[in-house]
Amino acid sequence: MNIPFLGKRRVGAGARDPEGIAGLLAECGLLRSLADREGVRLDDSPASLEQLDQMLPRWRDDEEVLPWLGNDAGLYLGTVIVRTVPGAAWAFTEDGQPVVRLVSGRECEVVAAGHQWAATGAPELSQSYAEVAEG
């Protein structure tokens, strides 16, 4: 996912407003709307990832929704990681893709994980989170 409106000056290590960027990445409007219709409360907790994993994947039949939902699912996974795993933070690859960087320096491609989850259900979002949280 390329976020051109963030501009090059914000993608470097010296980003001036990491909380603002995190807020933008946490919006995930389509996923939040879908979850709300299914009675799933997205409170940025690991438990909410488990609830998303239990939803019936009705979106898989809609080729227009699938890529957007995959982006949102990945960004939501990243949001949960950043908010609950000590030292985790958003970072951007050279081509502008958002990733989560752990204290160890490892980068997690959460958007790719979100696309896989939206398309196939595997790995589950909660499983992806657990693998990251374990270190």
Side-chain angles (χ1 to χ4, degrees):
M1 179 179 146
N2 191 359
I3 307 175
F5 64 85
L6 292 177
K8 292 274 186 203
R9 66 182 177 84
R10 291 192 182 240
V11 288
R16 298 187 196 278
D17 187 13
E19 288 184 29
I21 292 170
L24 285 173
L25 296 175
E27 287 182 2
C28 312
L30 179 61
L31 181 68
R32 289 183 187 277
S33 175
L34 178 65
D36 187 53
R37 282 186 297 215
E38 297 291 323
V40 174
R41 184 171 169 258
L42 299 185
D43 59 2
D44 301 343
S45 71
S48 66
L49 296 173
E50 293 174 12
Q51 293 174 336
L52 285 172
D53 290 336
Q54 300 305 313
M55 289 186 346
L56 291 175
R58 294 183 180 102
W59 59 83
R60 290 194 187 129
D61 294 332
D62 190 337
E63 291 187 22
E64 289 184 27
V65 169
L66 193 59
W68 290 100
L69 186 64
N71 276 337
D72 278 9
L75 294 175
Y76 184 71
L77 171 62
T79 296
V80 173
I81 293 168
V82 166
R83 293 189 176 164
T84 62
V85 174
W90 285 108
F92 294 89
T93 62
E94 287 185 21
D95 64 350
Q97 296 296 314
V99 295
V100 173
R101 185 171 293 137
L102 304 176
V103 172
S104 66
R106 177 178 160 215
E107 289 185 352
C108 304
E109 296 182 8
V110 292
V111 173
H115 280 282
Q116 288 179 319
W117 174 82
T120 66
E124 292 182 335
L125 295 174
S126 59
Q127 178 185 356
S128 295
Y129 173 84
E131 290 172 5
V132 169
E134 288 175 2

